[in-house]
Amino acid sequence: MRENEMIEKEDIFSKVLRAGRRTYFFDVRATKADDYYITITESKKFTEEDGSFHFKKHKIYLYKEDFAAFREILDEMVDFVLDQKGEEVISERHQKDFKKENYTETTDDEMKSSESFTNIDFDDI
């Protein structure tokens, strides 16, 4: 019976935000004293060349005594970004019609080395 009580306390309240390769988990948990706190977990999926994948997770613990200050700073940061850049997503990677095969991250060294190649049309051969 005691184990069931512990399991029930574990899932007090949860929300999930799926955002591309990232998933954010917002969970209300209970302390040993039966007070509540929030955990925010970012889980990011990484796919290997062989098709296998793994997840990297980062977790923030947010306690009640920090809620007001956290919310105030988060609201201020969100307002600043939206005031400065608007709500439109600028990064190509985050556009709804983004296709990975059309996007390559090219370093300056790769740009320089590719500029030294001669463009040959196969009809010329």
Side-chain angles (χ1 to χ4, degrees), residues 106-117:
T106 308
T107 65
D108 288 341
D109 291 338
E110 290 172 328
M111 285 288 255
K112 289 175 186 169
S113 66
S114 68
E115 289 172 0
S116 64
F117 289 100

Side-chain angles (χ1 to χ4, degrees), residues 5-121:
E5 290 174 3
M6 293 297 283
I7 292 171
E8 288 175 18
K9 285 186 177 185
E10 193 66 26
D11 293 329
I12 296 166
F13 185 67
S14 295
K15 291 280 189 171
V16 176
L17 171 62
R18 299 195 194 297
R21 291 184 344 171
R22 289 178 167 79
T23 302
Y24 299 97
F25 299 92
F26 299 86
D27 298 297
V28 174
R29 307 264 185 208
T31 65
K32 290 180 182 179
D34 203 31
D35 201 2
Y36 290 169
Y37 65 98
I38 297 172
T39 62
I40 303 170
T41 307
E42 175 203 36
S43 178
K44 187 174 180 183
K45 184 177 183 178
F46 290 89
T47 306
E48 306 295 336
E49 290 181 14
D50 66 358
S52 65
F53 58 89
H54 67 280
F55 295 92
K56 285 191 179 179
K57 295 182 180 181
H58 299 89
K59 189 173 283 203
I60 296 172
Y61 294 86
L62 189 58
Y63 297 94
K64 284 184 355 185
E65 61 267 22
D66 302 321
F67 285 1
F70 187 91
R71 178 186 284 172
E72 184 178 312
I73 292 172
L74 180 61
D75 287 343
E76 184 179 346
M77 300 303 280
V78 168
D79 290 344
F80 176 83
V81 171
L82 295 177
D83 288 345
Q84 294 293 310
K85 297 295 182 179
E87 292 189 27
E88 180 183 356
V89 177
I90 298 171
S91 172
E92 289 180 2
R93 290 178 153 231
H94 296 91
Q95 298 298 331
K96 290 179 182 169
D97 58 350
F98 171 74
K99 291 184 176 41
K100 189 173 183 176
E101 61 270 7
N102 293 338
Y103 180 80
T104 57
E105 289 186 33
T106 308
T107 65
D108 288 341
D109 291 338
E110 290 172 328
M111 285 288 255
K112 289 175 186 169
S113 66
S114 68
E115 289 172 0
S116 64
F117 289 100
T118 304
N119 188 11
I120 299 174
D121 193 323

